[in-house]
Amino acid sequence: MDAEQYVLGGVMLSPTALAEVRPLLDGADFYRPAHAQIWDAVCALADRGAPADPLSVGAHIGARQLAKLGGGPYLHTLISRVPTAANAVYWAHMVRDLAYARTVAETGTRLVQLATVAEGDAAELRAQVAAEVAAVTGADRRGWPDPTPLSTAPDLPTFPIWCLPDWAAEYAAGVADVTQTPVDLAGCLALAALAVAAAAT
């Protein structure tokens, strides 16, 4: 509950925090339904370019529904509980991890129920179990994407150092040899120096 409150207070305090947290969470990740409704209201206001402060969020939710969530004072309590909005991403990861743990627990309960009502068709039971397990073992696509393996990088052509003037090419080759770096680096720096010189003339 604390983590959920810190996330909601942080995103109402700071639009920057909301931009960082939003790719990590959705309403289903919140344990308390009232928190999910507040989160949805904050996101809806952000989509319209409106401020997501407690007054705006309360007006968006509506007085009658807001009273069921704890009223306007609860929105201000969320903000007052935030140590710092800069830690919103940390708390969002905690909320997401706890939501995943609940999903695993729910999946375990469903597996027990499947085993209890199984009527001897092992193939169907295996398919149902596989589907349940796949739902909790699949890769999480929210947040940062998976890194691109370096092995997938295409082979680049050799830097055309011979296109530089003789003196610049010799210098770039010498720098690359002395510093034990690719000639591409020294060649690009030489190009930058030549470009500055050409622009100054």
Side-chain angles (χ1 to χ4, degrees), residues 17-59:
L18 176 60
E20 294 174 343
V21 167
R22 196 167 181 187
L24 302 174
L25 295 177
D26 57 42
D29 291 322
F30 291 90
Y31 178 71
R32 187 179 178 200
H35 291 167
Q37 293 183 42
I38 295 170
W39 170 261
D40 291 339
V42 169
C43 292
L45 289 168
D47 289 339
R48 296 196 325 229
D53 56 81
L55 293 178
S56 301
V57 172

Short mmCIF file of all heavy atoms in Angstrom, two decimals, residues 17-59:
data_model
loop_
_atom_site.label_atom_id
_atom_site.label_comp_id
_atom_site.label_asym_id
_atom_site.label_seq_id
_atom_site.Cartn_x
_atom_site.Cartn_y
_atom_site.Cartn_z
N ALA A 17 7.86 12.68 -13.31
CA ALA A 17 7.72 11.36 -12.68
C ALA A 17 6.67 10.53 -13.40
O ALA A 17 6.86 9.32 -13.61
CB ALA A 17 7.37 11.51 -11.21
N LEU A 18 5.58 11.16 -13.80
CA LEU A 18 4.54 10.42 -14.52
C LEU A 18 5.07 9.89 -15.84
O LEU A 18 4.81 8.74 -16.21
CB LEU A 18 3.32 11.32 -14.76
CG LEU A 18 2.18 10.71 -15.59
CD1 LEU A 18 1.64 9.46 -14.91
CD2 LEU A 18 1.07 11.72 -15.82
N ALA A 19 5.83 10.71 -16.57
CA ALA A 19 6.38 10.26 -17.85
C ALA A 19 7.32 9.07 -17.67
O ALA A 19 7.38 8.19 -18.53
CB ALA A 19 7.12 11.42 -18.52
N GLU A 20 8.04 9.03 -16.54
CA GLU A 20 8.97 7.93 -16.30
C GLU A 20 8.25 6.67 -15.81
O GLU A 20 8.67 5.56 -16.11
CB GLU A 20 10.01 8.36 -15.26
CG GLU A 20 10.93 9.47 -15.74
CD GLU A 20 11.85 9.96 -14.64
OE1 GLU A 20 11.55 9.68 -13.46
OE2 GLU A 20 12.85 10.63 -14.95
N VAL A 21 7.18 6.86 -15.05
CA VAL A 21 6.49 5.73 -14.43
C VAL A 21 5.48 5.09 -15.36
O VAL A 21 5.26 3.88 -15.33
CB VAL A 21 5.81 6.20 -13.12
CG1 VAL A 21 4.84 5.15 -12.61
CG2 VAL A 21 6.86 6.52 -12.08
N ARG A 22 4.87 5.87 -16.22
CA ARG A 22 3.75 5.37 -17.01
C ARG A 22 4.10 4.16 -17.87
O ARG A 22 3.28 3.25 -18.00
CB ARG A 22 3.20 6.50 -17.88
CG ARG A 22 1.82 6.17 -18.43
CD ARG A 22 1.13 7.36 -19.00
NE ARG A 22 -0.18 7.01 -19.47
CZ ARG A 22 -0.97 7.84 -20.14
NH1 ARG A 22 -0.57 9.08 -20.37
NH2 ARG A 22 -2.16 7.45 -20.56
N PRO A 23 5.29 4.09 -18.49
CA PRO A 23 5.59 2.87 -19.26
C PRO A 23 5.71 1.62 -18.39
O PRO A 23 5.70 0.50 -18.92
CB PRO A 23 6.94 3.20 -19.93
CG PRO A 23 7.03 4.69 -19.91
CD PRO A 23 6.33 5.11 -18.67
N LEU A 24 5.83 1.78 -17.10
CA LEU A 24 6.07 0.63 -16.21
C LEU A 24 4.79 0.05 -15.63
O LEU A 24 4.77 -1.12 -15.25
CB LEU A 24 6.98 1.06 -15.05
CG LEU A 24 8.35 1.61 -15.42
CD1 LEU A 24 9.07 2.12 -14.18
CD2 LEU A 24 9.18 0.55 -16.12
N LEU A 25 3.73 0.85 -15.53
CA LEU A 25 2.54 0.43 -14.80
C LEU A 25 1.28 0.61 -15.63
O LEU A 25 1.24 1.42 -16.56
CB LEU A 25 2.38 1.24 -13.52
CG LEU A 25 3.44 1.09 -12.43
CD1 LEU A 25 3.13 2.04 -11.28
CD2 LEU A 25 3.51 -0.34 -11.93
N ASP A 26 0.26 -0.16 -15.27
CA ASP A 26 -1.11 0.15 -15.71
C ASP A 26 -2.03 -0.06 -14.52
O ASP A 26 -1.59 -0.49 -13.44
CB ASP A 26 -1.52 -0.70 -16.92
CG ASP A 26 -1.41 -2.19 -16.65
OD1 ASP A 26 -1.79 -2.64 -15.55
OD2 ASP A 26 -0.94 -2.92 -17.54
N GLY A 27 -3.30 0.25 -14.69
CA GLY A 27 -4.22 0.20 -13.56
C GLY A 27 -4.33 -1.16 -12.91
O GLY A 27 -4.57 -1.27 -11.70
N ALA A 28 -4.13 -2.23 -13.68
CA ALA A 28 -4.27 -3.58 -13.14
C ALA A 28 -3.17 -3.93 -12.15
O ALA A 28 -3.29 -4.91 -11.41
CB ALA A 28 -4.27 -4.59 -14.28
N ASP A 29 -2.09 -3.16 -12.12
CA ASP A 29 -0.98 -3.46 -11.21
C ASP A 29 -1.27 -3.02 -9.78
O ASP A 29 -0.55 -3.43 -8.86
CB ASP A 29 0.30 -2.76 -11.70
CG ASP A 29 0.83 -3.38 -12.98
OD1 ASP A 29 0.75 -4.61 -13.10
OD2 ASP A 29 1.32 -2.63 -13.83
N PHE A 30 -2.28 -2.19 -9.57
CA PHE A 30 -2.56 -1.68 -8.23
C PHE A 30 -3.46 -2.67 -7.48
O PHE A 30 -4.45 -3.16 -8.02
CB PHE A 30 -3.23 -0.31 -8.31
CG PHE A 30 -2.31 0.77 -8.79
CD1 PHE A 30 -2.19 1.06 -10.14
CD2 PHE A 30 -1.54 1.49 -7.89
CE1 PHE A 30 -1.33 2.05 -10.59
CE2 PHE A 30 -0.67 2.48 -8.33
CZ PHE A 30 -0.57 2.75 -9.69
N TYR A 31 -3.09 -2.93 -6.25
CA TYR A 31 -3.85 -3.88 -5.43
C TYR A 31 -5.18 -3.27 -4.98
O TYR A 31 -6.21 -3.93 -5.00
CB TYR A 31 -3.02 -4.30 -4.22
CG TYR A 31 -3.73 -5.23 -3.28
CD1 TYR A 31 -3.99 -6.55 -3.65
CD2 TYR A 31 -4.15 -4.80 -2.02
CE1 TYR A 31 -4.65 -7.41 -2.80
CE2 TYR A 31 -4.82 -5.66 -1.16
CZ TYR A 31 -5.06 -6.97 -1.55
OH TYR A 31 -5.72 -7.81 -0.71
N ARG A 32 -5.14 -2.03 -4.56
CA ARG A 32 -6.36 -1.37 -4.09
C ARG A 32 -7.10 -0.78 -5.28
O ARG A 32 -6.55 0.04 -6.03
CB ARG A 32 -6.01 -0.26 -3.09
CG ARG A 32 -7.24 0.33 -2.43
CD ARG A 32 -6.90 1.41 -1.43
NE ARG A 32 -8.12 1.97 -0.88
CZ ARG A 32 -8.19 3.14 -0.28
NH1 ARG A 32 -7.10 3.86 -0.12
NH2 ARG A 32 -9.33 3.59 0.19
N PRO A 33 -8.38 -1.15 -5.50
CA PRO A 33 -9.12 -0.63 -6.65
C PRO A 33 -9.19 0.90 -6.69
O PRO A 33 -9.17 1.50 -7.76
CB PRO A 33 -10.53 -1.24 -6.47
CG PRO A 33 -10.28 -2.49 -5.68
CD PRO A 33 -9.14 -2.16 -4.75
N ALA A 34 -9.25 1.54 -5.51
CA ALA A 34 -9.29 3.00 -5.48
C ALA A 34 -8.02 3.58 -6.09
O ALA A 34 -8.06 4.59 -6.81
CB ALA A 34 -9.46 3.49 -4.04
N HIS A 35 -6.90 2.95 -5.84
CA HIS A 35 -5.64 3.43 -6.41
C HIS A 35 -5.63 3.27 -7.93
O HIS A 35 -5.10 4.12 -8.65
CB HIS A 35 -4.46 2.68 -5.79
CG HIS A 35 -4.24 3.02 -4.35
ND1 HIS A 35 -3.42 2.29 -3.52
CD2 HIS A 35 -4.73 4.04 -3.58
CE1 HIS A 35 -3.41 2.82 -2.32
NE2 HIS A 35 -4.20 3.89 -2.32
N ALA A 36 -6.22 2.19 -8.42
CA ALA A 36 -6.30 1.99 -9.87
C ALA A 36 -7.15 3.09 -10.51
O ALA A 36 -6.81 3.60 -11.59
CB ALA A 36 -6.88 0.62 -10.18
N GLN A 37 -8.24 3.48 -9.86
CA GLN A 37 -9.08 4.54 -10.41
C GLN A 37 -8.36 5.89 -10.40
O GLN A 37 -8.47 6.67 -11.35
CB GLN A 37 -10.38 4.63 -9.61
CG GLN A 37 -11.28 3.41 -9.77
CD GLN A 37 -12.59 3.57 -9.03
OE1 GLN A 37 -13.21 4.62 -9.04
NE2 GLN A 37 -13.03 2.51 -8.36
N ILE A 38 -7.61 6.15 -9.34
CA ILE A 38 -6.84 7.41 -9.29
C ILE A 38 -5.78 7.41 -10.38
O ILE A 38 -5.57 8.41 -11.06
CB ILE A 38 -6.22 7.59 -7.90
CG1 ILE A 38 -7.32 7.77 -6.84
CG2 ILE A 38 -5.27 8.78 -7.87
CD1 ILE A 38 -6.83 7.72 -5.41
N TRP A 39 -5.11 6.28 -10.55
CA TRP A 39 -4.10 6.17 -11.61
C TRP A 39 -4.71 6.42 -12.99
O TRP A 39 -4.16 7.16 -13.80
CB TRP A 39 -3.45 4.79 -11.55
CG TRP A 39 -2.56 4.49 -12.71
CD1 TRP A 39 -2.88 3.75 -13.82
CD2 TRP A 39 -1.22 4.94 -12.92
NE1 TRP A 39 -1.82 3.70 -14.69
CE2 TRP A 39 -0.79 4.42 -14.16
CE3 TRP A 39 -0.35 5.72 -12.16
CZ2 TRP A 39 0.49 4.67 -14.67
CZ3 TRP A 39 0.93 5.97 -12.67
CH2 TRP A 39 1.32 5.45 -13.91
N ASP A 40 -5.86 5.81 -13.26
CA ASP A 40 -6.53 6.00 -14.55
C ASP A 40 -6.91 7.46 -14.75
O ASP A 40 -6.81 7.99 -15.88
CB ASP A 40 -7.77 5.11 -14.65
CG ASP A 40 -7.41 3.63 -14.73
OD1 ASP A 40 -6.26 3.30 -15.11
OD2 ASP A 40 -8.28 2.79 -14.41
N ALA A 41 -7.33 8.13 -13.69
CA ALA A 41 -7.70 9.54 -13.80
C ALA A 41 -6.46 10.39 -14.11
O ALA A 41 -6.52 11.30 -14.96
CB ALA A 41 -8.35 10.01 -12.51
N VAL A 42 -5.35 10.11 -13.45
CA VAL A 42 -4.11 10.85 -13.70
C VAL A 42 -3.69 10.67 -15.15
O VAL A 42 -3.32 11.64 -15.83
CB VAL A 42 -3.00 10.39 -12.73
CG1 VAL A 42 -1.66 10.95 -13.15
CG2 VAL A 42 -3.33 10.82 -11.30
N CYS A 43 -3.74 9.44 -15.65
CA CYS A 43 -3.33 9.17 -17.03
C CYS A 43 -4.27 9.85 -18.03
O CYS A 43 -3.82 10.38 -19.05
CB CYS A 43 -3.28 7.67 -17.28
SG CYS A 43 -1.97 6.82 -16.37
N ALA A 44 -5.57 9.82 -17.74
CA ALA A 44 -6.53 10.47 -18.64
C ALA A 44 -6.28 11.97 -18.71
O ALA A 44 -6.34 12.58 -19.79
CB ALA A 44 -7.96 10.19 -18.16
N LEU A 45 -5.98 12.59 -17.58
CA LEU A 45 -5.69 14.03 -17.58
C LEU A 45 -4.40 14.31 -18.34
O LEU A 45 -4.32 15.28 -19.11
CB LEU A 45 -5.57 14.53 -16.14
CG LEU A 45 -6.88 14.60 -15.35
CD1 LEU A 45 -6.61 14.82 -13.87
CD2 LEU A 45 -7.78 15.71 -15.90
N ALA A 46 -3.39 13.47 -18.15
CA ALA A 46 -2.12 13.67 -18.86
C ALA A 46 -2.31 13.54 -20.37
O ALA A 46 -1.69 14.29 -21.14
CB ALA A 46 -1.08 12.67 -18.37
N ASP A 47 -3.17 12.63 -20.81
CA ASP A 47 -3.41 12.46 -22.24
C ASP A 47 -4.06 13.69 -22.85
O ASP A 47 -3.87 13.97 -24.04
CB ASP A 47 -4.31 11.24 -22.48
CG ASP A 47 -3.58 9.92 -22.20
OD1 ASP A 47 -2.34 9.93 -22.23
OD2 ASP A 47 -4.27 8.91 -21.98
N ARG A 48 -4.81 14.43 -22.05
CA ARG A 48 -5.45 15.66 -22.54
C ARG A 48 -4.56 16.87 -22.39
O ARG A 48 -4.94 17.98 -22.77
CB ARG A 48 -6.75 15.91 -21.76
CG ARG A 48 -7.81 14.85 -21.97
CD ARG A 48 -9.18 15.29 -21.53
NE ARG A 48 -9.18 16.15 -20.36
CZ ARG A 48 -9.95 15.96 -19.30
NH1 ARG A 48 -10.74 14.91 -19.24
NH2 ARG A 48 -9.93 16.80 -18.30
N GLY A 49 -3.39 16.68 -21.79
CA GLY A 49 -2.49 17.81 -21.55
C GLY A 49 -2.90 18.65 -20.37
O GLY A 49 -2.44 19.79 -20.22
N ALA A 50 -3.78 18.10 -19.51
CA ALA A 50 -4.26 18.83 -18.34
C ALA A 50 -3.38 18.52 -17.14
O ALA A 50 -2.72 17.47 -17.10
CB ALA A 50 -5.71 18.46 -18.05
N PRO A 51 -3.34 19.40 -16.16
CA PRO A 51 -2.57 19.10 -14.95
C PRO A 51 -3.20 17.93 -14.18
O PRO A 51 -4.41 17.72 -14.24
CB PRO A 51 -2.64 20.40 -14.15
CG PRO A 51 -3.86 21.10 -14.64
CD PRO A 51 -3.98 20.72 -16.09
N ALA A 52 -2.35 17.19 -13.47
CA ALA A 52 -2.82 16.02 -12.72
C ALA A 52 -2.65 16.25 -11.23
O ALA A 52 -2.28 15.34 -10.49
CB ALA A 52 -2.08 14.77 -13.16
N ASP A 53 -2.91 17.47 -10.75
CA ASP A 53 -2.84 17.76 -9.33
C ASP A 53 -4.09 17.21 -8.64
O ASP A 53 -5.05 16.82 -9.31
CB ASP A 53 -2.72 19.27 -9.12
CG ASP A 53 -3.86 20.03 -9.78
OD1 ASP A 53 -4.96 20.09 -9.19
OD2 ASP A 53 -3.65 20.53 -10.90
N PRO A 54 -4.11 17.16 -7.31
CA PRO A 54 -5.26 16.58 -6.61
C PRO A 54 -6.60 17.21 -6.97
O PRO A 54 -7.61 16.50 -7.08
CB PRO A 54 -4.92 16.79 -5.13
CG PRO A 54 -3.43 16.83 -5.09
CD PRO A 54 -3.02 17.49 -6.37
N LEU A 55 -6.65 18.53 -7.15
CA LEU A 55 -7.91 19.17 -7.49
C LEU A 55 -8.42 18.71 -8.85
O LEU A 55 -9.61 18.41 -9.02
CB LEU A 55 -7.74 20.70 -7.47
CG LEU A 55 -7.47 21.32 -6.11
CD1 LEU A 55 -7.27 22.83 -6.24
CD2 LEU A 55 -8.61 21.02 -5.14
N SER A 56 -7.51 18.64 -9.83
CA SER A 56 -7.91 18.20 -11.17
C SER A 56 -8.32 16.74 -11.17
O SER A 56 -9.30 16.35 -11.82
CB SER A 56 -6.76 18.41 -12.16
OG SER A 56 -6.37 19.77 -12.21
N VAL A 57 -7.57 15.92 -10.44
CA VAL A 57 -7.90 14.49 -10.37
C VAL A 57 -9.26 14.30 -9.71
O VAL A 57 -10.10 13.51 -10.17
CB VAL A 57 -6.80 13.72 -9.60
CG1 VAL A 57 -7.23 12.28 -9.36
CG2 VAL A 57 -5.50 13.75 -10.39
N GLY A 58 -9.52 15.02 -8.61
CA GLY A 58 -10.81 14.92 -7.93
C GLY A 58 -11.95 15.35 -8.83
O GLY A 58 -13.01 14.71 -8.85
N ALA A 59 -11.76 16.44 -9.58
CA ALA A 59 -12.82 16.91 -10.48
C ALA A 59 -13.07 15.90 -11.59
O ALA A 59 -14.21 15.69 -12.02
CB ALA A 59 -12.43 18.27 -11.06
#
